[in-house]
Amino acid sequence: MATPVSTIPKIRDALRATFRSGLTRPIAWRQHQLYQLARMAQNERELICDALKKDLGKPKTEVLMAEVGCIIERSVKSAEQLPQWAKTEYPDVADWQKPWKPTIYKAPRGTALIISPWNYPMILTFQPLIGAIAAGCTAVLKPSELVPTFSQLLEEIVPKYLDPNTYRVVNGAVPETSKLLELQWDHIFYTGNGRVARIIASAAAKHLTPLTLELGGKSPVIIDSAYDIDLAAKRILWGKCNNAGQICVAPDYVLVQRDKQDELVKAFRKHYNAFFPKGALDSPLFGSIVSDQHHKRLTSLLSRTKGEVVLQGRADAARRRLEPSIVKDVADGDSLLEEELFGPILPIVPVDSFNQAVDFVNARSHPLVLYAFSDNESLKQQLVSETQSGGIVFNDTFQHLAVNELPFAGVGESGYGNQVMKHTYDTFTQLRSSIDMPKEAEPYLAIRYPPHSEEAVKALTAAVYMPIPPSRL
């Protein structure tokens, strides 16, 4: 059920009043909310799995591994590490500035809006919230209307575990989201696509609201011809099959040297048959496409490709099922390279050299992640130096998301702003600089007051004449 639009400003105002009351400031209070979030994920896991099975056909193991377990672990660890994160900092400064007591306070930004997508709705709703809670913010959660069972479940279970005066769920579609975006927020955290991100950024700009945009794009895979092709195929296919390819870090297309293409295709077939001996169409280990619209979009892209379909996935539109398809000899300008696929279709683009693959990637928008399979350290360094992407992962796919200490972020078209654990905490935290000038410093400050003597001018402008070390290329 959609949240009445007329109540949305009242919800925001109530959360702002809670923030101003100081309720969220004590570290112990924040830790309790984080532990409560972990309890919610743990206690309600069966309902969460059932909801995502109904909305997305998600396998239970996948939900427990990639969504529920992550929230439990990161909530608990964030609570444990929060006292260290939130410590006031005293930077090391020059001796003559030490009496000023330079200080960096960790201040919550205020009342946040978190807009999450449908593909991984548990982790992508609550991972930002973990940071908001840890930082001491209040927040509205706006889950996707494309997962209605899950979104309604959140409206029911969140108030049972989290303080309802501090965290609220708003459900609905465009009218409700539009009303949310009319309001002023202290931070907006959006996960989704670039088209909607532009709408959100425009709305935020009216209030100069800071943003985190977690977007996607076409994340490429480059395979060094000297690498183990069979192992590369296994790891790429596994990454592509997660949530039926409906994830922002899914391998979108593969660049491989032309003389290795058929070997790669053979390896993909081998591992597909091993993963799904009876095919993925009816497998409980393979998810469904989110909507009829997305199912039609994917089958249309596949029908228009000029490449050769070498693994033809079966489709069942009535159940929104679509098996993985592998397409070789895909060329620039093909339908499968038009947009982020966000589904179980994997194009193979043959190239004549590693450098040609690098040029192909650089000719396009910066991806959320660049995958590369190589044991050659100089080639790895070349990719680090010559390409841009949110992340760069060598010799695997998807698994970098499991490293709690790594920031997860895009660049350019794939978004901006960091998340995961402390990085999410930092996103919702303002570093508030401070000094406390003692009365006793007045004799040392005398030279700043006009009129300035020649000696005072010399002291005040000394930095202009500081020696610069010699350098040359």
Side-chain angles (χ1 to χ4, degrees):
M1 180 182 295
T3 303
V5 171
S6 62
T7 67
I8 291 175
K10 298 174 185 176
I11 292 172
R12 193 285 309 265
D13 291 346
L15 294 180
R16 180 157 289 171
T18 298
F19 178 75
R20 289 173 177 164
S21 76
L23 176 69
T24 65
R25 294 302 181 110
I27 298 298
W29 187 93
R30 303 182 207 178
Q31 289 175 307
H32 175 66
Q33 296 299 312
L34 289 167
Y35 287 133
Q36 283 293 94
L37 179 54
R39 292 182 186 105
M40 184 192 80
Q42 192 171 76
N43 295 347
E44 309 296 346
R45 62 187 182 275
E46 294 300 328
L47 290 177
I48 292 165
C49 288
D50 290 346
L52 293 182
K53 181 67 175 179
K54 183 173 182 180
D55 287 336
L56 294 170
K58 272 202 177 193
K60 183 175 182 179
T61 300
E62 187 176 311
V63 174
L64 293 174
M65 173 192 71
E67 304 224 55
V68 175
C70 287
I71 292 301
I72 296 170
E73 178 189 23
R74 289 174 178 173
S75 296
V76 170
K77 288 187 174 181
S78 292
E80 292 171 347
Q81 297 176 32
L82 179 56
Q84 183 64 36
W85 298 347
K87 276 186 177 178
T88 299
E89 295 181 9
Y90 303 97
D92 190 21
V93 298
D95 287 344
W96 62 277
Q97 291 179 329
K98 286 179 180 177
W100 305 358
K101 299 178 183 176
T103 303
I104 302 171
Y105 295 104
K106 311 292 181 63
R109 288 194 177 276
T111 300
L113 171 62
I114 297 169
I115 304 175
S116 56
W118 51 264
N119 59 324
Y120 277 80
M122 181 75 181
I123 185 73
L124 296 178
T125 297
F126 292 110
Q127 182 160 274
L129 183 64
I130 288 170
I133 293 173
C137 296
T138 58
V140 160
L141 305 176
K142 171 57 183 73
S144 173
E145 65 275 16
L146 294 181
V147 281
T149 313
F150 177 79
S151 296
Q152 184 58 42
L153 177 64
L154 291 196
E155 191 171 342
E156 295 167 5
I157 65 176
V158 166
K160 294 180 181 178
Y161 291 87
L162 302 182
D163 188 330
N165 295 313
T166 312
Y167 310 107
R168 295 287 297 273
V169 175
V170 169
N171 274 324
V174 173
E176 292 75 21
T177 305
S178 298
K179 176 55 69 175
L180 286 166
L181 293 174
E182 287 177 11
L183 305 174
Q184 191 271 332
W185 302 89
D186 299 305
H187 195 89
I188 297 176
F189 195 115
Y190 168 73
T191 305
N193 62 61
R195 179 184 61 81
V196 175
R198 285 171 167 79
I199 296 171
I200 291 173
S202 296
K206 295 177 183 177
H207 301 288
L208 298 180
T209 299
L211 283 171
T212 300
L213 298 178
E214 180 55 65
L215 310 179
K218 296 182 74 64
S219 293
V221 183
I222 297 177
I223 303 178
D224 173 10
S225 59
Y227 192 79
D228 183 332
I229 296 296
D230 185 78
L231 181 60
K234 183 180 184 181
R235 293 178 175 181
I236 294 166
L237 185 64
W238 174 79
K240 188 65 170 179
C241 287
N242 274 280
N243 200 32
Q246 299 169 112
I247 180 171
C248 55
V249 296
D252 195 276
Y253 62 95
V254 180
L255 295 155
V256 67
Q257 284 195 203
R258 206 172 300 275
D259 60 353
K260 294 288 184 177
Q261 183 178 217
D262 288 340
E263 182 182 348
L264 180 64
V265 169
K266 182 180 178 181
F268 277 137
R269 285 196 181 112
K270 167 189 167 183
H271 292 297
Y272 176 73
N273 290 330
F275 291 172
F276 307 104
K278 297 181 180 179
L281 193 68
D282 298 309
S283 173
L285 303 178
F286 193 78
S288 300
I289 305 304
V290 66
S291 67
D292 294 338
Q293 177 186 353
H294 281 281
H295 194 279
K296 289 176 183 177
R297 178 185 65 83
L298 289 166
T299 54
S300 172
L301 288 172
L302 193 56
S303 70
R304 291 189 289 114
T305 183
K306 303 300 182 184
E308 180 184 348
V309 180
V310 290
L311 179 64
Q312 178 70 67
R314 296 172 294 171
D316 184 342
R319 294 186 295 149
R320 294 181 279 111
R321 303 288 290 176
L322 185 64
E323 291 182 321
S325 290
I326 308 290
V327 185
K328 76 171 193 174
D329 288 326
V330 174
D332 196 4
D334 192 87
S335 63
L336 299 182
L337 299 178
E338 290 175 357
E339 61 185 62
E340 182 180 7
L341 291 173
F342 223 71
I345 303 170
L346 187 61
I348 302 173
V349 180
V351 293
D352 296 317
S353 67
F354 189 86
N355 286 338
Q356 186 183 354
V358 173
D359 291 341
F360 192 93
V361 171
N362 284 336
R364 285 151 179 80
S365 297
H366 305 321
L368 187 55
V369 59
L370 168 60
Y371 296 112
F373 287 80
S374 177
D375 290 325
N376 187 317
E377 293 302 321
S378 65
L379 292 182
K380 292 179 185 179
Q381 189 55 50
Q382 178 183 351
L383 289 174
V384 171
S385 302
E386 297 181 8
T387 64
Q388 282 185 274
S389 59
I392 184 165
V393 173
F394 297 108
N395 303 326
D396 204 6
T397 61
F398 193 81
Q399 200 63 39
H400 61 297
L401 299 182
V403 183
N404 292 333
E405 292 72 25
L406 287 176
F408 182 63
V411 59
E413 283 288 320
S414 55
Y416 50 80
N418 296 311
Q419 64 172 313
V420 180
M421 297 286 291
K422 184 178 185 296
H423 304 289
T424 325
Y425 167 82
D426 290 342
T427 289
F428 288 97
T429 298
Q430 176 202 353
L431 298 181
R432 196 175 186 188
S433 300
S434 174
I435 64 169
D436 184 356
M437 189 66 71
K439 293 185 180 72
E440 293 76 16
E442 192 60 22
Y444 303 98
L445 301 177
I447 62 170
R448 73 185 183 179
Y449 302 118
H452 299 117
S453 67
E454 186 175 336
E455 184 180 352
V457 170
K458 186 177 180 180
L460 292 169
T461 61
V464 175
Y465 305 102
M466 70 182 294
I468 300 172
S471 67
R472 65 180 180 181
L473 295 175

